[in-house]
Amino acid sequence: AGNVRRVQCLKYMVLANMLMESQVDPFDAQEAKPYKQDPEVMAMTNLVAAYQANNIREFEKILAHNKRTIMDDPFIRQYVEDLLRKIRTQVLLKLVEPYTRVRLPFISRALHIPEADVEQLLVSLILDNRIQGHVDQVNQLLEVGDKAQGMNKYTAMDKWASEIKSIHATVCNKVL
């Protein structure tokens, strides 16, 4: 019975490491090494490997193939959606990084989720300031850019308009 509890605790520790986005390998500890090859723990370690590699397809495949060892545990099942959200977030951030404009259908295909879910994820990332940009719902487009840069342009234009207004008032006073 103690062995079963150890395996279960190790699985929960691996889950906690993924949820914390920790880079610490729980199998570095001497006490955990003998259990690394246990079939139940192996499923979790494969899940961690896919998670750290930002490989959504592999992550989802491991979840599907190891339903008994992962999804049948009510405690782990409770956090699977959080893990999926985290890996999707990581992949999405890397995916949009080099672009200034990205179509939502493109992101949807890369993440294997509906466009509505992509939009919801993008909105939460924008509100959390993890992505600087906005979603154009009409054109199904994420436009990435620094809001401050756009504001600087409008501030400069406002200052320019004020200067022109001042010059106009000066010229008008001299003419009259």
Side-chain angles (χ1 to χ4, degrees), residues 21-50:
E21 297 178 8
S22 172
Q23 298 303 318
V24 175
D25 185 359
F27 297 104
D28 284 344
Q30 285 291 50
E31 299 83 11
K33 284 185 182 179
Y35 299 99
K36 191 171 186 172
Q37 299 303 319
D38 185 282
E40 287 192 36
V41 176
M42 193 90 151
M44 291 298 286
T45 56
N46 292 340
L47 206 59
V48 170

Side-chain angles (χ1 to χ4, degrees), residues 8 23 63:
Q8 189 177 28
Q23 298 303 318
L63 282 177

Side-chain angles (χ1 to χ4, degrees), residues 166-176:
S166 172
I167 291 171
H168 177 264
T170 304
V171 169
C172 285
N173 286 338
K174 288 190 178 189
V175 172
L176 296 174

